[in-house]
Amino acid sequence: MSNETIPEPGAESGPSVPASATATATATGDGTASAAPADNAPTASVAEERPHRAKSKTKPKPIITSIEELLTFAYKSNARLLEFSKEDLKKLTITDEGIASQSALVGSLAPTDPTLSTPFKLLQYAARQGVPLKRAEDGDLARALNRLVDLAVVAMGNSPVFRVWVDQLVDPRKDPQLPTEHVRVEARRVDAEKLGLASKQFKAADRERLVKNAIACYGLLRALQREWTLDQFIDASYDSVWRHEAPKAAGPERAVSEIGASSDLDVLGIVGENYLARIARLEQQVTKLEHEAGAARNRETRLRHELSTVEEREQSALARADALSADVVRLQKELAAERDNRVVDKSHMADDYETLRTRIIRRLGGEIDLLTDGLHALRNGAPNVAEEFLDRSLLALTREVEQLKDASGGFA
């Protein structure tokens, strides 16, 4: 990753100057900028001129006693980053009444900063303190940092990139949402005419600087608002800036040369550690999902076995039910046939009964006549005749009894 992959505020508004002919600005401890020689300058000349140049560029440390003075210093300083101690920041007076005048001051200075270098400085400075910015917090440092963030939002709102998105800058949840890619597109559309500048005062290099600063400002603001995590900030920076800066179709040799030549080792460390942490989290998630998948497979196997057992029981129960149904049908048929047979038997028995009754009545009637005649003969003094009648009657009754026994199967 080269220095260009990290959004940095560029030179203030004005004609852009080729990099080979300019000196890069580096921040000193007191917030002033010292010039470093261009890469192609002779080494001997640099060594000879360094004491003189350092002496000539040294400026007295500005005395800052108010937010207004800090804003003016941030806009007029060519330093890459804003350097201002926490202790000095705590000493600045923060009042609700001052917000209007401070916002007006930002509005008057914003046209001098077409590349959004100063809001980047303010937001980067606030983020660098590592203090969670909570509106309910009463600490002097948090109040001052919140004020700088608010004024940075005012400065961003004065830029054509964010002019119609001020509400979304203040409230990250407000619809419609502002995508990072839209910030990039809008920044690339900005030209000298939209800024009210002459064409020579805003060139292609300035536009590229505006693109990087606009995206960096937006990401820093979202992170300070605790709307974005570090993962989201890095992803947005990659999608909107870094991947556009990466060499096209770079082989491993070109890639290692760019990484090896980068002086932003701290940034590389942060990004690398972030991606490695994400990979570790993903590996943990994969391991967890694999365990869950294994448990799901075991559960599936167990459920399949249980299902197979239930299906076998069901088949057995169905077979048994079919057998019972067949038995029911068979028994119903047998019962119906038995009922039919009983009806026929009942009819036959009724006929047999009537036949037997008629025969018995006839037999008993004939035997009664014989016994009556035998009794009459016995009374009239003819025992021999009476005996004959009795013998004939007894013989007939005995035969009838034998016939009844034969008809009943020998049981009487």
Side-chain angles (χ1 to χ4, degrees):
M1 184 188 306
S2 67
N3 291 339
E4 290 298 316
T5 61
I6 304 300
E8 302 173 358
E12 302 302 325
S13 62
S16 59
V17 182
S20 60
T22 60
T24 58
T26 57
T28 63
D30 60 357
T32 59
S34 62
D39 293 341
N40 59 353
T43 305
S45 299
V46 172
E48 294 173 358
E49 294 179 5
R50 184 172 299 165
H52 174 71
R53 292 178 60 188
K55 182 178 180 181
S56 63
K57 293 296 182 179
T58 301
K59 295 180 180 180
K61 185 176 180 180
I63 299 175
I64 297 175
T65 60
S66 66
I67 291 291
E68 288 80 1
E69 292 176 354
L70 182 59
L71 287 173
T72 303
F73 170 72
Y75 269 98
K76 293 185 177 181
S77 171
N78 288 326
R80 175 177 178 269
L81 299 176
L82 178 62
E83 296 294 340
F84 195 66
S85 70
K86 292 182 180 180
E87 295 303 320
D88 290 338
L89 183 63
K90 290 180 180 179
K91 296 176 182 178
L92 302 184
T93 303
I94 308 298
T95 62
D96 294 338
E97 295 75 13
I99 185 64
S101 62
Q102 292 158 7
S103 298
L105 177 61
V106 170
S108 65
L109 293 174
T112 67
D113 180 26
T115 60
L116 291 177
S117 298
T118 301
F120 172 83
K121 292 180 187 179
L122 296 175
L123 292 170
Q124 200 277 342
Y125 174 80
R128 193 166 74 242
Q129 308 313 312
V131 178
L133 303 183
K134 299 178 182 179
R135 294 296 175 183
E137 192 168 352
D138 296 329
D140 293 336
L141 183 60
R143 283 172 55 84
L145 292 176
N146 271 321
R147 178 59 55 85
L148 294 181
V149 171
D150 291 341
L151 294 172
V153 171
V154 174
M156 292 168 66
N158 278 276
S159 172
V161 180
F162 298 105
R163 190 165 292 156
V164 299
W165 297 95
V166 176
D167 291 341
Q168 282 75 7
L169 295 180
V170 176
D171 181 5
R173 304 294 178 87
K174 186 176 181 58
D175 290 326
Q177 296 293 302
L178 175 57
T180 310
E181 186 57 31
H182 184 76
V183 175
R184 177 181 178 82
V185 172
E186 287 300 313
R188 294 188 68 85
R189 289 176 179 172
V190 175
D191 54 18
E193 182 180 357
K194 289 185 178 181
L195 294 168
L197 300 174
S199 59
K200 65 179 181 179
Q201 292 180 299
F202 190 78
K203 297 183 179 180
D206 297 317
R207 180 182 294 108
E208 292 303 316
R209 183 65 63 191
L210 172 62
V211 171
K212 295 175 182 178
N213 285 343
I215 294 170
C217 286
Y218 185 62
L220 285 167
L221 178 62
R222 288 294 182 251
L224 288 167
Q225 292 169 331
R226 290 301 177 96
E227 186 67 18
W228 280 8
T229 62
L230 177 59
D231 292 353
Q232 291 172 298
F233 180 85
I234 290 177
D235 288 343
S237 298
Y238 174 80
D239 291 338
S240 301
V241 179
W242 298 347
R243 70 184 181 91
H244 298 284
E245 297 295 320
K248 303 302 180 183
E253 297 82 4
R254 178 78 181 278
V256 297
S257 72
E258 293 289 337
I259 296 173
S262 175
S263 61
D264 299 321
L265 300 183
D266 52 348
V267 176
L268 288 174
I270 292 174
V271 174
E273 183 180 7
N274 176 266
Y275 279 119
L276 289 176
R278 275 200 259 181
I279 291 171
R281 290 198 300 269
L282 290 174
E283 288 177 346
Q284 292 177 354
Q285 292 178 4
V286 169
T287 301
K288 180 181 178 181
L289 291 174
E290 287 177 346
H291 289 164
E292 292 177 353
R297 285 192 295 269
N298 293 335
R299 185 165 59 252
E300 180 187 14
T301 301
R302 176 174 57 80
L303 292 176
R304 286 183 180 276
H305 177 71
E306 293 178 358
L307 179 61
S308 177
T309 302
V310 170
E311 288 177 346
E312 290 177 358
R313 292 177 182 175
E314 182 184 11
Q315 294 298 327
S316 176
L318 290 174
R320 183 181 177 190
D322 291 341
L324 292 175
S325 298
D327 289 343
V328 169
V329 172
R330 177 178 58 79
L331 291 174
Q332 287 176 341
K333 290 181 179 179
E334 291 178 359
L335 179 61
E338 191 65 25
R339 285 175 178 172
D340 293 341
N341 292 335
R342 294 291 76 76
V343 172
V344 174
D345 290 344
K346 183 177 181 181
S347 176
H348 289 168
M349 291 175 66
D351 293 340
D352 292 343
Y353 172 76
E354 290 299 327
T355 301
L356 179 62
R357 188 173 71 84
T358 302
R359 193 182 76 191
I360 293 299
I361 292 173
R362 186 179 295 119
R363 173 65 64 188
L364 291 176
E367 299 311 316
I368 289 173
D369 291 340
L370 285 175
L371 291 174
T372 301
D373 290 341
L375 180 61
H376 182 71
L378 184 62
R379 287 177 178 174
N380 290 320
N384 293 332
V385 175
E387 183 178 357
E388 180 180 356
F389 285 149
L390 289 173
D391 288 339
R392 288 172 57 187
S393 178
L394 288 172
L395 179 61
L397 290 172
T398 301
R399 288 178 178 174
E400 190 64 36
V401 170
E402 293 296 331
Q403 289 181 2
L404 291 173
K405 287 182 178 181
D406 292 340
S408 62
F411 298 99

